[in-house]
Amino acid sequence: PAARAALESALEPGALALENALRMQRAEALSVTDDLTSLYNSRYLSQVLRREAKRASRSGRPLSLLFLDLDGFKSINDTHGHLFGSRALVEAAEVIRSSARETDVVARFGGDEFALVLPDTGGEGATAVGERVRERIAAHEFLQADGLRIRLTASVGVATLPDVAATVEALIQAADKAMYQVKERGKNGICVAGSTI
């Protein structure tokens, strides 16, 4: 018993330090994670974009950003209520995450808008990723577990540094503008910032 008590006393500070480190790690993860979807949040997106833009500038490699908005999402909230809307957002987040590559950073920008940061990826590669995400969302039947089979589509905007933007702010604006061009043209498509198509 005495040896056990001595061992516990010796290990207690280490266990306490480990517990505190784990708590800090969990708190840090929560500060950069969207509560609903478990994707990264817009705060973290901004940090990643700034870091990756600096890296891209130093290396001379491209950096692309996709902005994605769910077409028809509002009708889920209006018809079935916000709880179903939240469930659909969780499903959409999983479809988007599973469509992205390991090196991509997927974030919920807000509402039903998502963003993907694509390091070392030019416009052509970014368009391919955007098209894959768009197709998978269109093929997914949302809220099946709730007895519904709702189809949604996505409008995707693509922008690439340094092709159409020289700063992070300009990159975000270009991707957002490209996404809204898809919305204006009838939704369910992809638009590359700076293209004439």
Side-chain angles (χ1 to χ4, degrees), residues 15-76:
L16 187 58
L18 181 59
E19 186 179 330
N20 286 339
L22 289 172
R23 277 192 189 140
M24 183 68 123
Q25 188 178 27
R26 280 192 291 267
E28 198 173 282
L30 287 173
S31 75
V32 298
T33 305
D34 177 63
D35 289 341
L36 179 65
T37 63
S38 297
L39 295 177
Y40 290 113
N41 60 23
S42 59
R43 181 173 155 235
Y44 185 73
L45 173 68
S46 179
Q47 292 172 5
V48 166
L49 276 172
R50 291 189 193 298
R51 182 185 71 222
E52 290 298 330
K54 286 178 185 172
R55 195 172 71 76
S57 177
R58 281 193 310 268
S59 69
R61 303 280 300 152
L63 171 67
S64 289
L65 175 65
L66 303 182
F67 260 24
L68 180 149
D69 184 78
L70 297 176
D71 305 321
F73 173 76
K74 186 179 180 307
S75 68
I76 295 176

Side-chain angles (χ1 to χ4, degrees), residues 69-185:
D69 184 78
L70 297 176
D71 305 321
F73 173 76
K74 186 179 180 307
S75 68
I76 295 176
N77 281 339
D78 292 348
T79 305
H80 303 287
H82 290 279
L83 179 61
F84 286 99
S86 293
R87 289 179 186 161
L89 285 174
V90 170
E91 288 182 37
E94 188 49 43
V95 171
I96 295 165
R97 183 187 354 246
S98 69
S99 302
R101 304 165 307 178
E102 268 186 48
T103 56
D104 300 338
V105 176
V106 183
R108 181 176 177 208
F109 192 70
D112 62 330
E113 287 188 3
F114 298 86
L116 289 86
V117 178
L118 313 176
D120 299 321
T121 306
E124 191 175 310
T127 301
V129 172
E131 191 59 36
R132 180 172 58 241
V133 172
R134 190 196 64 74
E135 287 173 357
R136 289 184 183 176
I137 285 175
H140 185 79
E141 291 184 331
F142 288 85
L143 303 170
Q144 282 188 54
D146 297 301
L148 302 171
R149 290 174 173 245
I150 297 172
R151 296 285 188 162
L152 296 174
T153 58
S155 295
V156 182
V158 179
T160 302
L161 251 167
D163 299 354
V164 297
T167 66
V168 169
E169 291 77 15
L171 185 69
I172 292 170
Q173 288 175 345
D176 192 46
K177 183 178 178 185
M179 180 189 70
Y180 278 102
Q181 286 177 329
V182 176
K183 292 276 192 195
E184 290 168 5
R185 289 188 224 151

